[in-house]
Amino acid sequence: MVEQHTPRSLIVTFYGAYGRTFEGPVPVSALVRLLGAAGVDAPSVRSSVSRLKRRGFLVPAKAADGAAAYDLSEEARLLLEDGDRRIYGPPQVSEEWLVAVFSVPEQERNKRHLLRSRLARLGFGAVAPGVWIAPAQLARETEHTLERLHLTAYVELFRGSHLGFAPTAEAVARWWDLTALAKQHEEFLDLHEPALRALQSGPEPTPEAAYRTHLTALDSWRRLPYADPGLPRELLPADWPGDRAAAVFAELHARLRDAGARFVRT
């Protein structure tokens, strides 16, 4: 299986993993060099940076020597900080549920689409039209997201227990596509577990190789904690592959991040 990493996704992943450690904004020349090490050519880096600037993720700036550079927007920094807790933090599981109930006027249906898409990206499952559910540990991040997008006027959030009438495990299987989620975990393992085995049994990689392996593994992994929002283990199938996928990423991250950072600083 061959995995495709888009230039734009790799740039976002790079800023999340390494860009915030730079002293000041990241020079364009450094972006070209460091994304080039991951297989992205210079024209693709420049065009993807331009798209990220138009979307408000990056802002143009000057490096200390006056060279052209890009920094994260304040909104992007907040987004990445929320992502840190989800991507790198230990799994959090709550026995309670967060329920989002929303109503958007027909004349503002574009906001209805935005609301649905963002709730889905946060990991919510759909219970019914206008009623979405997620594990309660996502409350803070959900509040941040709705505030950033100016959608709080259309949503009410509730926190509580599932009282019936179907068994909760059966309900969870309706609210989330567990088969599709399991497949995503399995694909991650197929692509990145061999790299971990090689690290465990072979010599230490060079800093450049460590950086490249870390960046691509993180680019694959960072979507999974959103697709799979930390559902209670007892509500999932017995052969759930998410635990192993999380363990593989955690070990790859621990083994590679420091060597990758050394390459970035060279």
Side-chain angles (χ1 to χ4, degrees):
M1 182 185 298
V2 177
E3 186 173 31
Q4 298 297 319
H5 297 277
T6 68
R8 186 168 63 181
S9 178
L10 283 169
I11 291 170
V12 172
T13 300
F14 168 80
Y15 269 93
Y18 300 107
R20 288 174 290 175
T21 65
F22 271 70
E23 294 184 4
V26 182
V28 173
S29 58
L31 283 172
V32 169
R33 177 179 72 87
L34 293 166
L35 272 296
V40 182
D41 60 38
S44 296
V45 172
R46 295 180 188 277
S47 63
S48 296
V49 164
S50 294
R51 286 195 293 271
L52 288 167
K53 181 182 71 172
R54 289 195 297 271
R55 292 183 61 182
F57 187 85
L58 296 177
V59 292
K62 293 290 184 182
D65 61 359
Y70 281 92
D71 205 350
L72 290 164
S73 67
E74 186 58 31
E75 181 177 343
R77 288 187 184 279
L78 293 172
L79 187 67
L80 291 176
E81 287 169 8
D82 279 342
D84 289 344
R85 289 185 284 273
R86 184 96 65 115
I87 295 166
Y88 301 113
Q92 298 181 16
V93 178
S94 174
E95 294 182 358
E96 291 187 307
W97 297 97
L98 178 68
V99 178
V101 180
F102 64 86
S103 178
V104 181
E106 180 60 26
Q107 61 268 28
E108 296 183 271
R109 57 183 175 273
N110 61 314
K111 292 184 177 178
R112 185 186 306 141
H113 173 73
L114 177 61
L115 187 49
R116 287 171 177 162
S117 66
R118 288 309 171 107
L119 289 175
R121 285 171 60 180
L122 284 167
F124 277 72
V127 178
V131 182
W132 290 57
I133 193 167
Q137 68 264 18
L138 303 189
R140 181 181 177 189
E141 186 178 353
T142 301
E143 290 169 5
H144 288 173
T145 300
L146 296 176
E147 288 166 358
R148 281 199 299 268
L149 296 173
H150 307 291
L151 293 171
T152 56
Y154 307 99
V155 186
E156 296 293 344
L157 295 177
F158 302 88
R159 184 171 182 153
S161 303
H162 178 235
L163 300 180
F165 291 93
T168 304
E170 290 182 14
V172 163
R174 291 198 309 270
W175 300 335
W176 282 272
D177 186 344
L178 297 182
T179 300
L181 290 181
K183 183 177 180 182
Q184 290 183 58
H185 285 298
E186 289 162 356
E187 288 175 346
F188 177 86
L189 288 165
D190 289 344
L191 289 162
H192 298 288
E193 196 170 27
L196 177 59
R197 292 198 198 99
L199 286 170
Q200 291 169 335
S201 60
E204 288 294 314
T206 65
E208 181 175 356
Y211 162 80
R212 184 167 48 249
T213 302
H214 182 240
L215 188 70
T216 53
L218 177 56
D219 194 53
S220 300
W221 171 257
R222 67 181 177 86
R223 297 168 180 80
L224 275 168
Y226 287 90
D228 179 353
L231 299 168
R233 186 66 184 83
E234 66 270 15
L235 302 179
L236 297 170
D239 58 349
W240 188 248
D243 300 331
R244 195 164 107 248
V248 166
F249 171 73
E251 188 169 348
L252 281 171
H253 178 63
R255 285 174 174 266
L256 296 171
R257 60 183 172 183
D258 291 342
R262 287 198 297 275
F263 174 72
V264 169
R265 290 193 296 267
T266 58

